[in-house]
Amino acid sequence: MKLNIKSSSKILLIAMVVLGTGCKKFLEEKDPSNLQPDTYYTIPEHAEASIAAGYAQTRFIGNGAGIFAANFSMLELVTGTAKTETGQNSDLNNLAGLSFTGENLLVRNWWAGLYNVIAQTNLTIQKVPGINPMDETRKAQVLGEARFLRAWAYFYLVRLYGDVPLILVPQTTGSPDFYPTRTGTEAVYKQIVEDLTVAETAGLPWQQASGTASKGAAKALLAKVYLTMAGFPLNKGVPYYKLAADKSLEVIKDGGFGLFDTYAELHSLTTENRKEHMFEIQYLASVATNPMQQLLLPNFKDVSAYSDEVGSTVPTANFYNSYEAGDLRAKDRVGFFYTSYYTGGDGALKQLNAPYIFKHFDVVANGTLGVKGTAQSSLNWPQIRYAEVLLTYAEAQNRADGAPNQAAYDAINAIRGRALLTPASGLGQTQFEEAVWRERWHELCYEGITWFDMVRLRKVYNETTNGFDNFVGHAFAATPNVVLAEKHLLFPLPTVDFKNNPNLRPQNPGY
């Protein structure tokens, strides 16, 4: 079931957070034909439209970022597990070479896109309480969903940029903090935890096949936040590993979620927003088509119904080859990769001589043997999977208690069992921890997760040794001249925002 979010231009609710502008006169002009927030929020339908606009804003992740690129690529090209097959986009090349600056369009788009989500949810949180009459149960749920989305956005922001402006009310050009200062990382995390705690207790359903936020998703995201807070940069250690273990165990024990039986179900239209997919960015071809399919395809190798096959984000051979022998996740057109596909999407099978990402492959849009593709994708983009909850529990419990318990072994072995790998057993704390990390790299690849694991752990998976290197000084296997440095632990603030708002200074170290 899809959350049918219509075009945001029809909702007329999105209050953009602008951290500096030279267009005040334009913004202050009144148009009496337009709806205004002060007069709009009067009936329950307005609350529904407002939260729908918040969900719509999350789709910035798939939005374009110059020629042959979309924003999602930023989190993959800096990990060393992905590369680009197109040389036309200098921003992609700079990310892959770790030579990006605040001028990078994707760096700017992530900042702006996340603050757009925050702007809309702030409006919802401020205005919906005043709508009367409205069913109080539903009102609390809408506010819980808004808190969930705001926490989701700030969690990305604080991990990407460190200290960021913490904006909790709608902004206008007359707001006293229209040019905000940066808030300390710990205070931002405190707000994220508060928002998710409210969402968790807002009366949301445990699961939501509609694609909206659920109680289970709120708990899963909170567990992930606690796990991150336990590591760098806050280094809160054992107490927060315990919080992460307890919260993820609640998700596991309360039931309703689980692993799909097959990897094909991860990218099937019939299983969206169900079982393993706890929260996804919603796409529906008739409303907002998934724009990422052709970007993930091999560069013009004629394997789909799309006329433009870009290859802007594809796996490195080194990472693909790092999977254990017999790992089902590396099996062609079964797991997360494909090394052959059908000519034109529906014709004779052809060998591609390189791995490509199958985890997000829309068979309906691209085509399959004897069935022409539609070249229009409704496939959602995953944000929280139950597989990650299992691995969060395994890692956190082991660190909290000093050794893995049976439940932690059950969690990691559920992941390994689906991949047809031998169960983990008899491991010490450090051995078990690294086993979990390897599963995170191999199970959660190309979902915007790996980079944040690298930063919170200050470790990077070494495909050659099957071990873990320190973050600083790690050289990418596919491009050994590209080496991670201390400055790469954060992205730079976007140059345009940094220049327009002097209160954002200083720039992140090294930029």
Side-chain angles (χ1 to χ4, degrees):
M1 182 177 178
K2 289 284 187 180
L3 174 64
N4 193 358
I5 302 171
K6 299 298 182 183
S7 169
S8 58
S9 64
K10 297 179 181 178
I11 297 173
L12 301 174
L13 290 176
I14 297 167
M16 302 281 283
V17 172
V18 183
L19 301 180
T21 179
C23 305
K24 284 189 178 182
K25 187 173 185 293
F26 170 77
L27 292 171
E28 290 169 355
E29 290 178 351
K30 305 296 184 183
D31 181 352
S33 67
N34 284 340
L35 294 169
Q36 300 293 324
D38 290 341
T39 59
Y40 182 79
Y41 287 86
T42 58
I43 59 176
E45 287 77 7
H46 295 166
E48 301 295 346
S50 184
I51 192 61
Y55 288 110
Q57 287 297 299
T58 65
R59 288 197 289 262
F60 83 87
I61 286 179
N63 289 352
I67 186 170
F68 300 145
N71 295 321
F72 79 90
S73 294
M74 186 178 86
L75 298 183
E76 305 304 340
L77 291 177
V78 290
T79 65
T81 66
K83 63 179 183 177
T84 180
E85 288 187 336
T86 177
Q88 288 94 328
N89 191 300
S90 60
D91 290 318
L92 286 182
N93 294 332
N94 289 338
L95 287 164
L98 299 179
S99 59
F100 54 88
T101 68
E103 297 285 348
N104 190 286
L105 181 58
L106 288 84
V107 171
R108 164 61 177 156
N109 286 351
W110 272 88
W111 174 277
L114 291 165
Y115 272 113
N116 285 345
V117 175
I118 291 164
Q120 182 57 43
T121 54
N122 282 344
L123 196 58
T124 303
I125 292 165
Q126 183 186 75
K127 296 297 184 181
V128 167
I131 297 178
N132 286 301
M134 182 177 178
D135 178 78
E136 291 301 319
T137 298
R138 181 56 190 149
K139 181 184 289 188
Q141 290 175 341
V142 168
L143 293 171
E145 291 176 52
R147 291 280 199 134
F148 174 90
L149 289 177
R150 187 168 71 177
W152 174 89
Y154 270 121
F155 188 41
Y156 270 120
L157 275 168
V158 74
R159 290 179 296 164
L160 288 171
Y161 305 102
D163 298 350
V164 294
L166 186 62
I167 302 168
L168 302 177
V169 295
Q171 299 291 295
T172 69
T173 54
S175 297
D177 56 348
F178 186 68
Y179 293 97
T181 58
R182 299 170 72 176
T183 302
T185 295
E186 186 154 7
V188 177
Y189 271 104
K190 181 180 179 181
Q191 184 63 49
I192 292 168
V193 170
E194 179 184 316
D195 278 351
L196 288 175
T197 302
V198 170
E200 184 184 13
T201 57
L204 297 173
W206 179 244
Q207 295 174 290
Q208 275 286 40
S210 66
T212 56
S214 67
K215 183 176 181 177
K219 286 180 179 289
L221 185 54
L222 188 51
K224 184 173 179 174
V225 169
Y226 286 144
L227 183 70
T228 303
M229 295 175 75
F232 293 97
L234 296 183
N235 287 315
K236 289 187 173 291
V238 168
Y240 276 74
Y241 282 117
K242 180 68 164 58
L243 287 170
D246 290 347
K247 191 59 63 177
S248 52
L249 189 60
E250 289 177 26
V251 177
I252 295 168
K253 283 188 170 182
D254 286 355
F257 300 103
L259 297 179
F260 291 130
D261 294 331
T262 67
Y263 295 115
E265 292 169 278
L266 287 175
H267 52 109
S268 168
L269 296 174
T270 63
T271 54
E272 293 183 324
N273 304 319
R274 300 177 188 278
K275 197 174 180 179
E276 188 165 349
H277 286 309
M278 300 184 69
F279 184 65
E280 299 181 281
I281 295 173
Q282 305 294 298
Y283 287 101
L284 187 62
S286 60
V287 178
T289 187
N290 178 329
M292 293 171 274
Q293 288 300 309
Q294 55 267 52
L295 297 176
L296 294 169
L297 293 169
N299 187 244
F300 293 105
K301 292 188 178 179
D302 187 27
V303 294
S304 78
Y306 287 98
S307 59
D308 50 341
E309 299 176 341
V310 179
S312 69
T313 306
V314 303
T316 62
N318 301 77
F319 180 67
Y320 171 71
N321 291 329
S322 71
Y323 282 76
E324 292 180 49
D327 193 325
L328 202 61
R329 292 170 294 193
K331 186 175 180 180
D332 183 27
R333 290 173 286 121
V334 172
F336 297 164
F337 304 89
Y338 63 108
T339 56
S340 66
Y341 207 67
Y342 306 108
T343 302
D346 61 341
L349 188 67
K350 67 165 70 175
Q351 296 300 316
L352 302 174
N353 302 314
Y356 296 92
I357 300 170
F358 203 55
K359 179 184 274 188
H360 304 301
F361 191 92
D362 186 346
V363 172
V364 173
N366 289 297
T368 189
L369 182 62
V371 182
K372 189 71 175 175
T374 63
Q376 292 289 319
S377 177
S378 295
L379 192 64
N380 290 343
W381 192 259
Q383 289 296 292
I384 304 173
R385 277 203 294 131
Y386 184 71
E388 185 179 8
V389 174
L390 291 174
L391 293 172
T392 294
Y393 174 73
E395 180 181 349
Q397 181 279 320
N398 179 55
R399 286 297 295 269
D401 295 342
N405 63 16
Q406 186 58 50
Y409 273 112
D410 291 343
I412 189 175
N413 286 333
I415 302 294
R416 290 182 61 81
R418 183 169 61 172
L420 301 184
L421 297 174
T422 56
S425 63
L427 303 177
Q429 183 185 33
T430 300
Q431 291 175 308
F432 184 84
E433 181 172 65
E434 292 198 358
V436 174
W437 291 350
R438 274 187 288 273
E439 292 306 322
R440 289 188 67 90
W441 252 260
H442 289 130
E443 176 68 28
L444 305 177
C445 58
Y446 311 118
E447 296 183 45
I449 293 172
T450 301
W451 175 254
F452 296 123
D453 279 348
M454 291 164 59
V455 171
R456 72 176 176 87
L457 297 171
R458 299 295 197 265
K459 295 287 184 180
V460 187
Y461 177 62
N462 185 315
E463 295 108 329
T464 303
T465 66
N466 201 36
F468 289 86
D469 298 340
N470 290 330
F471 181 100
V472 176
H474 172 80
F476 291 161
T479 50
N481 61 318
V482 177
V483 180
L484 288 162
E486 185 80 21
K487 76 171 194 175
H488 296 126
L489 291 167
L490 292 174
F491 282 82
L493 301 189
T495 299
V496 62
D497 297 88
F498 187 73
K499 287 182 176 179
N500 286 340
N501 180 8
N503 292 333
L504 293 177
R505 295 168 187 169
Q507 179 61 280
N508 283 333
Y511 298 101

